[in-house]
Amino acid sequence: TYDGEKHSVQISGVPQGATVKTTYNGTEADGVTDAGVYQVKVTVSLEGYTDFVAETTFTVNKAEMANVVIDNASVMYDGEMHAVTVSGAPDGAVTTVTYNGEEAEGVVNAATYKVKVTITHANYDDYVKEVNFTVRKAYMQGISVSADNPVYDGSKKSVTIEKMPQGATVKTTYNGIETDGVTEAGTYEVVVTFSKENYFDATHNLQFIVRKADITGVTLEQDGSVIHDGEAHAPALNGTIPNGVT
């Protein structure tokens, strides 16, 4: 088996004074190092004797890659490329890594990937191993959702959102109904959900109050006496009464 050392066929019974010539695949050498199957020819010569010639097959078996270590510990998404780490491969080995079937140096997006590591070397059996590698979703940070509890004025009101991450989408419900705001005075239970690829959804729950407005600009006429005439009379109101007021 290959171990980086030179190996050779063993020859015994050679007469004293004889010379030995050994070729491996046609090349004269005293041995071979690399894994492979060699056609060996041994020629023993001694003056006064007919040359002894023998041919045989000599095999140096491939070794096992026993020291390879794959680090596939999960990481959190940060917008950078991440990859499994391969160590312990023999010098000169070629390492190929695929993520979900595609050869790549690494991956960026949050997901769980099927990783296949293949290491090849002329003197070693191929090393092939499959592992999972996870890029975990990150958490959205710094988002602010607040309610200033405005007074009703007939226009749409909504909670205030600050520092929403670029590229995020937002869904807002008021009392369970998805909308971007409310008009009528009342107390609303608001749920704001932020979504973005590679991040966990961020949900904010709060109460939002649209306060009732005061009716202003309407006065009751003070000097409003009338003479009884059998008809119905009422005090006079001055100003503009909002629509819908009773």
Side-chain angles (χ1 to χ4, degrees), residues 117-164:
V117 178
T118 304
I119 305 174
T120 58
H121 191 290
N123 292 315
Y124 292 83
D125 291 323
D126 288 352
Y127 176 94
V128 180
K129 188 170 183 178
E130 296 184 355
V131 297
N132 288 333
F133 179 60
T134 300
V135 179
R136 306 188 309 275
K137 289 184 177 182
Y139 295 91
M140 285 184 260
Q141 304 288 343
I143 301 173
S144 173
V145 182
S146 59
D148 57 3
N149 298 335
V151 175
Y152 170 84
D153 63 4
S155 64
K156 184 175 285 188
K157 308 294 182 184
S158 62
V159 295
T160 301
I161 298 173
E162 296 178 314
K163 299 180 180 179
M164 186 172 82

Side-chain angles (χ1 to χ4, degrees), residues 8-80:
S8 61
V9 294
Q10 300 298 309
I11 303 171
S12 60
V14 177
Q16 186 175 2
T19 59
V20 178
K21 176 183 177 182
T22 309
T23 62
Y24 293 80
N25 290 346
T27 301
E28 186 175 355
D30 59 355
V32 289
T33 302
D34 291 335
V37 177
Y38 298 87
Q39 298 301 317
V40 182
K41 183 177 180 180
V42 178
T43 304
V44 181
S45 301
L46 181 62
E47 187 177 356
Y49 289 85
T50 303
D51 288 352
F52 172 86
V53 179
E55 296 186 2
T56 187
T57 298
F58 181 66
T59 302
V60 178
N61 293 313
K62 290 185 177 183
E64 179 185 357
M65 295 187 201
N67 298 318
V68 176
V69 176
I70 299 175
D71 182 358
N72 63 323
S74 65
V75 297
M76 182 175 289
Y77 172 82
D78 59 4
E80 302 294 331

Side-chain angles (χ1 to χ4, degrees), residues 221-228 233-235:
E221 189 175 290
Q222 298 298 319
D223 187 12
S225 61
V226 295
I227 296 174
H228 174 73
H233 296 276

